[in-house]
Amino acid sequence: MNKNVVKVGAISIGKEPVVIAGPCSIEGEKTFIDEVEFLYSKGIRLVRGGAYKPRTSPYSFQGLGNEALQIIKKAKSLYDIYVVSEVMDPREVEVVYEVCDMLQVGSRNMANYSLLKEIGRQDKPVILKRGMSATIEEWLLAAEYIVNEGNRGVILCERGIRTFETYTRNTLDLSAVVAVHELSPYPIIVDPSHGTGRRSMVISMAKAAIACGADGVMVEVHPEPERALSDGEQSLDYSGFEKLLNELHSL
Amino acid sequence: MNKNVVKVGAISIGKEPVVIAGPCSIEGEKTFIDEVEFLYSKGIRLVRGGAYKPRTSPYSFQGLGNEALQIIKKAKSLYDIYVVSEVMDPREVEVVYEVCDMLQVGSRNMANYSLLKEIGRQDKPVILKRGMSATIEEWLLAAEYIVNEGNRGVILCERGIRTFETYTRNTLDLSAVVAVHELSPYPIIVDPSHGTGRRSMVISMAKAAIACGADGVMVEVHPEPERALSDGEQSLDYSGFEKLLNELHSL
Amino acid sequence: MNKNVVKVGAISIGKEPVVIAGPCSIEGEKTFIDEVEFLYSKGIRLVRGGAYKPRTSPYSFQGLGNEALQIIKKAKSLYDIYVVSEVMDPREVEVVYEVCDMLQVGSRNMANYSLLKEIGRQDKPVILKRGMSATIEEWLLAAEYIVNEGNRGVILCERGIRTFETYTRNTLDLSAVVAVHELSPYPIIVDPSHGTGRRSMVISMAKAAIACGADGVMVEVHPEPERALSDGEQSLDYSGFEKLLNELHSL
Amino acid sequence: MNKNVVKVGAISIGKEPVVIAGPCSIEGEKTFIDEVEFLYSKGIRLVRGGAYKPRTSPYSFQGLGNEALQIIKKAKSLYDIYVVSEVMDPREVEVVYEVCDMLQVGSRNMANYSLLKEIGRQDKPVILKRGMSATIEEWLLAAEYIVNEGNRGVILCERGIRTFETYTRNTLDLSAVVAVHELSPYPIIVDPSHGTGRRSMVISMAKAAIACGADGVMVEVHPEPERALSDGEQSLDYSGFEKLLNELHSL
């Protein structure tokens, strides 16, 4: 099937594989600017950073919200980067749209059709993560909720499905990369951080993703993963991220 | 653990088992009023009726929306019933609240925390369905998103989880009834219509649900299931529903 | 579909619900005889007792093997009981056949077709447990491996399937009871001990099983579950078992 | 962890990635010899070929059994190859051992502990496939049933796990490759034929497997897949297999 190429500023997603990197959540201005400085020095232009975080427990850190959006604005004024951040509520689409270059719909909201339609009315690209137990068909139909409203910048993201296995946080379904390419025109990236939940597996699975044709990977990076406010156990530290880039370049 | 009793008008949920019944979606004024007349004649006071329908495909019938809410208002003016209807969008909470006696959060939105929090600020009971692949712990934490905002009228609804089995639409997890009673104070009802996806299984599974302690069942009923705009294959017809009531009364 | 009735001595399975009870494994002569004495005093004629135990770890207790078979022979000489015990190996069929009244194929061996065929050549009834992730169709086809060799005494046993849920050991799929009755002539019993993995859930789920039409339940009973060599956490003690019988009789 | 290297004649598994290829089942002497000739001409020394086939339905082709073993003997006399074939029954171990260079335990028999122990007493390598819903821990414990009897030539094979997804036959869990290397000394190969059930996905997933560190792949090849007696839809034809080799060599 003819494949879409989605433009994010100067970057094209759907041609050469891209790397999207950044912290799970934005934890403060200095930390995030430092992270961006590091990533930018490694050639990364597509940066992830959570402002609104959907957390299983209401007692977990929920993200800095609007404060994080201001930090993103600041970082973008200092570095020539494009930022993607998650939206959880149709009423937040407008404020995230104003600041970010791409919107993200998380796994928990893949079937939040009100949100999908609201994002479908925007003219910025969107990363649509696969629901935790969504079939590939359901995922593609969720994408149509966006596309039908006019937004053609859909990028799918495989992030692992829920199975009985407990060694990994999820089971990364790389065959979904091939299936999506067979069945639809959307670019598809892979998130080996959530897909495995284990730092030690991220690089290997990123390589596998690219090997089977993924249009990119999205990974969590943190200067001190063990002190991260969320997802530390699956975040690469800086030297781990450099290793990832080296290994991907040598593919 | 001490169990909550949730009042919906004159009805208490959490003491004697209740039966909630009605069509999957409201398909028109005459049809719905006829359905209510039938259900009321059988002693049913708690009526379900979808106005906003979350559908996997954007091309499926999406519910009558506001028109359905007006039909509910009409039916409530004619019969002494309480109506529960699903909310999918935090921006719709207000209009559904105005008309209905209970709000429902569907399976796809169990982890839509913005919606949960908005509903948590209302003072009407809410049925929180289990997510398609949610663990019991995640489900109870989702309930806390509601309760923490002040709304203590949470009723959980087991509606089947996703497994590899294809004969049934979902796998109804009745052990969740016992687990919820062990772990939390919430009443829990069971939806054997979605839980099995097969009309022929609804009565047997409803009986099993009550036998293991469920606080009620919620079933789909339609005068002509084969002509229903949604979920016909799992809806009871009128004689099937009468059989259900008889079998539950003889337990 | 016309339902088979399977005779085990004086007992018919497939008419009134039966209760099969006993320890997970036979742990010694005195213990087992005491257990049988207790069960028999409660009216139980169908006794379970493992001789050969399939264990996930080679370092776990593997059953007493032939010694257990001798103990079964002794118990049968003292009490008018029928004993069912698991066979794991086609080469063991003969010795288990000699002593026991029913053979059992465990979950791990549901697709061990060599074993199924060997058992198919015997003239004693067999309990065929559902594989941990077997579809209902695969399970019925496994039964045909037995029936095709001539043995028509197949009784199916639902014992929970594997899902992502961790609160329970397995997810008991009671809709399988209804499905099996719709699709096949075999009696089907339910094992709520393995199906939940939690003693506190066994009685409720046994009641649910009977309520939806199961032809019986099979439960693990141990005088001191906390000292059992296997499956203690899911075994009822004697007073728990008496409670189970009372609750089933009042259904 | 130190990794085992398993020798099959002149071939070492656990160092450079290997390719094991051949038909799902041996369908006749001429066909198999032709297949071997083709594979050998492409440099393949490790050939798969089923003699005893475990089939979900007793009405499906069950393999040629002993006749197939004679065909393997013939092929080995003509070409310098090593053949792996599945054993399903402890009583068949001896005859398969006599003819084949490696034994295979299929997914359905991963927890057939009697079979594992019998194979553990042999001195030829064994490929142990992961059970359809086995956790990695259970799989490693199954391997210990073999190793504890003295056979240290265990090679694990990831072949997909069972999930709710229906587009693929199974969900290939490539993170298991990384996990097995983290947790155990065993070489691990990947079977993308069973893992996906779709010919069009085999090459991509084979590349992904090697990219994340698999010690080899095992693929089904058939001169005319659409006429194969089993697994045709997931078998590569000859030109597909040549493409696979080219793509793997260019990694």
Side-chain angles (χ1 to χ4, degrees), chain B residues 121-185:
Chain B
R121 291 179 205 112
Q122 313 304 315
D123 58 4
K124 288 189 176 172
V126 53
I127 293 178
L128 176 63
K129 287 195 152 190
R130 183 180 184 179
M132 287 187 196
S133 66
T135 63
I136 292 165
E137 186 188 16
E138 291 169 339
W139 192 15
L140 296 176
L141 286 166
E144 294 201 35
Y145 270 100
I146 296 170
V147 172
N148 283 355
E149 301 293 323
N151 187 340
R152 309 192 73 78
V154 172
I155 296 151
L156 300 179
C157 178
E158 162 64 28
R159 46 75 73 202
I161 56 173
R162 185 158 278 187
T163 69
F164 52 82
E165 179 57 59
T166 55
Y167 186 72
T168 46
R169 180 175 177 183
N170 294 288
T171 296
L172 193 64
D173 177 12
L174 290 181
S175 66
V177 171
V178 187
V180 162
H181 283 156
E182 286 182 8
L183 295 168
S184 84

Side-chain angles (χ1 to χ4, degrees), chain C residues 53-60 62 88-92 108-109 111-115 117-118 121 132-135 137-138 141-142 144-145 148 162, chain D residues 53-60 62 88-92 108-109 111-115 117-118 121 132-135 137-138 141-142 144-145 148 162:
Chain C
K53 298 297 302 173
R55 303 303 299 277
T56 300
S57 166
Y59 312 112
S60 303
Q62 308 271 319
M88 293 165 58
D89 187 326
R91 299 168 299 187
E92 286 162 2
R108 290 169 179 80
N109 284 305
N112 181 341
Y113 302 128
S114 306
L115 178 62
K117 284 192 246 177
E118 192 65 41
R121 290 179 206 114
M132 287 188 196
S133 65
T135 62
E137 187 188 14
E138 290 168 339
L141 285 166
E144 294 201 34
Y145 271 100
N148 283 354
R162 185 159 277 187
Chain D
K53 298 297 301 173
R55 303 303 298 279
T56 300
S57 165
Y59 311 112
S60 302
Q62 308 270 320
M88 292 165 58
D89 186 325
R91 299 167 300 186
E92 287 162 2
R108 291 171 179 79
N109 284 305
N112 181 343
Y113 303 127
S114 305
L115 179 62
K117 284 192 243 177
E118 192 64 41
R121 291 179 206 113
M132 290 189 194
S133 65
T135 62
E137 187 188 15
E138 289 168 340
L141 286 166
E144 295 200 35
Y145 271 100
N148 283 356
R162 184 156 278 186

Side-chain angles (χ1 to χ4, degrees), chain D residues 226-241:
Chain D
E226 62 287 350
R227 305 180 75 168
L229 296 181
S230 54
D231 285 354
E233 64 295 333
Q234 70 196 32
S235 296
L236 294 176
D237 61 14
Y238 287 177
S239 75
F241 184 67

Side-chain angles (χ1 to χ4, degrees), chain A residues 54-59 62 88-91 108 111-114 118 133 135 138 141 144-145 148 162, chain B residues 54-59 62 88-91 108-109 111-114 118 133 135 138 141 144-145 148 162:
Chain A
R55 303 303 298 279
T56 300
S57 166
Y59 312 112
Q62 307 271 320
M88 293 165 58
D89 186 327
R91 298 168 301 186
R108 290 171 179 79
N112 181 343
Y113 302 128
S114 304
E118 192 65 40
S133 66
T135 63
E138 290 169 339
L141 285 167
E144 294 201 37
Y145 271 100
N148 282 355
R162 183 158 279 186
Chain B
R55 303 303 298 278
T56 300
S57 166
Y59 311 113
Q62 307 270 319
M88 293 165 59
D89 186 326
R91 297 168 302 187
R108 290 169 178 80
N109 284 304
N112 181 342
Y113 303 127
S114 304
E118 192 65 41
S133 66
T135 63
E138 291 169 339
L141 286 166
E144 294 201 35
Y145 270 100
N148 283 355
R162 185 158 278 187

Side-chain angles (χ1 to χ4, degrees), chain B residues 26-89:
Chain B
I26 293 172
E27 300 175 353
E29 184 173 313
K30 185 171 166 4
T31 322
F32 188 62
I33 303 286
D34 285 357
E35 287 160 349
V36 168
E37 183 183 24
F38 165 73
L39 294 169
Y40 192 77
S41 78
K42 296 295 153 195
I44 299 302
R45 304 284 298 279
L46 297 167
V47 174
R48 62 160 290 153
Y52 301 95
K53 297 297 303 173
R55 303 303 298 278
T56 300
S57 166
Y59 311 113
S60 302
F61 175 59
Q62 307 270 319
L64 295 181
N66 279 317
E67 190 188 336
L69 294 179
Q70 297 318 306
I71 295 172
I72 291 174
K73 198 181 281 186
K74 180 83 179 285
K76 280 171 53 81
S77 74
L78 296 173
Y79 296 93
D80 189 18
I81 55 167
Y82 307 104
V83 176
V84 56
S85 201
E86 179 165 355
V87 195
M88 293 165 59
D89 186 326

Side-chain angles (χ1 to χ4, degrees), chain B residues 174-247:
Chain B
L174 290 181
S175 66
V177 171
V178 187
V180 162
H181 283 156
E182 286 182 8
L183 295 168
S184 84
Y186 308 120
I188 174 168
I189 62 174
V190 169
D191 175 348
S193 305
H194 286 86
T196 64
R198 288 181 166 262
R199 187 179 315 132
S200 63
M201 292 183 153
V202 168
I203 294 177
S204 297
M205 297 315 287
K207 287 163 69 181
I210 300 302
C212 69
D215 297 299
V217 292
M218 176 154 69
V219 294
E220 291 183 338
V221 180
H222 194 281
E224 297 176 281
E226 63 286 352
R227 307 180 74 167
L229 296 180
S230 53
D231 285 354
E233 65 293 335
Q234 69 196 34
S235 296
L236 294 176
D237 62 14
Y238 287 177
S239 75
F241 184 67
E242 290 177 325
K243 187 157 180 284
L244 168 76
L245 291 181
N246 289 338
E247 300 229 4

